[in-house]
Amino acid sequence: MFTRRLLLALSLLLHAGAISAAVIHVPVDQPTIQGAVDAASAMDTILIAPGSYAEAVDFLGKSVKVLGAGATPDEVIVLGPVDGGDSPISFRNGEDQEAVLANLTITGWSGQVPPALLCSDASPRIEEVIFLA
């Protein structure tokens, strides 16, 4: 009986966590992609509307999905810094396979160091991303 109650309680907690995951829309809910990552909790999804976004984005160790909401990756463009600053996209805080970057284009960086995508001590999923120097 105790085992059954424990399993039920664990099941409810797991489902409650899945239900509480939010969808954050850029630029409607947050004006920037980084602002959305800052506001996100684990397992949230960040949907980026078609357009160009001039910023550097750090996933901050969060297990979030950052997805371009266009029909193709070339409809959502992250214009990284060209002044030798940060990489346009950074995974450097132990992000795992639950951290996802998908369906967008990264461009506008110098094509040298730092790279378009910095991945250090992390193993995120990268799907349908176009890199243009």
Side-chain angles (χ1 to χ4, degrees):
M1 186 65 133
F2 174 76
T3 304
R4 181 179 287 174
R5 286 184 184 168
L6 179 61
L7 289 174
L8 178 61
L10 288 173
S11 176
L12 289 173
L13 283 173
L14 289 174
H15 290 310
I19 293 170
S20 66
V23 177
I24 302 169
H25 297 269
V26 175
V28 174
D29 300 326
Q30 289 289 330
T32 65
I33 303 165
Q34 187 62 57
V37 172
D38 292 346
S41 297
M43 307 312 292
D44 285 354
T45 298
I46 298 165
L47 287 179
I48 310 164
S52 295
Y53 301 85
E55 59 181 296
V57 179
D58 188 329
F59 271 60
L60 304 171
K62 295 184 178 185
S63 295
V64 296
K65 294 177 180 73
V66 175
L67 312 174
T72 60
D74 61 349
E75 291 183 37
V76 176
I77 300 169
V78 177
L79 299 165
V82 293
D83 61 359
D86 280 341
S87 296
I89 305 290
S90 296
F91 298 95
R92 52 181 152 202
N93 295 294
E95 294 88 354
D96 60 16
Q97 291 288 306
E98 298 296 325
V100 178
L101 179 70
N103 199 42
L104 52 79
T105 296
I106 300 171
T107 189
W109 84 102
S110 65
Q112 300 174 358
V113 175
L117 186 136
L118 176 65
C119 189
S120 175
D121 190 33
S123 56
R125 274 190 311 177
I126 312 296
E127 302 173 350
E128 297 185 42
V129 174
I130 297 170
F131 296 93
L132 298 173

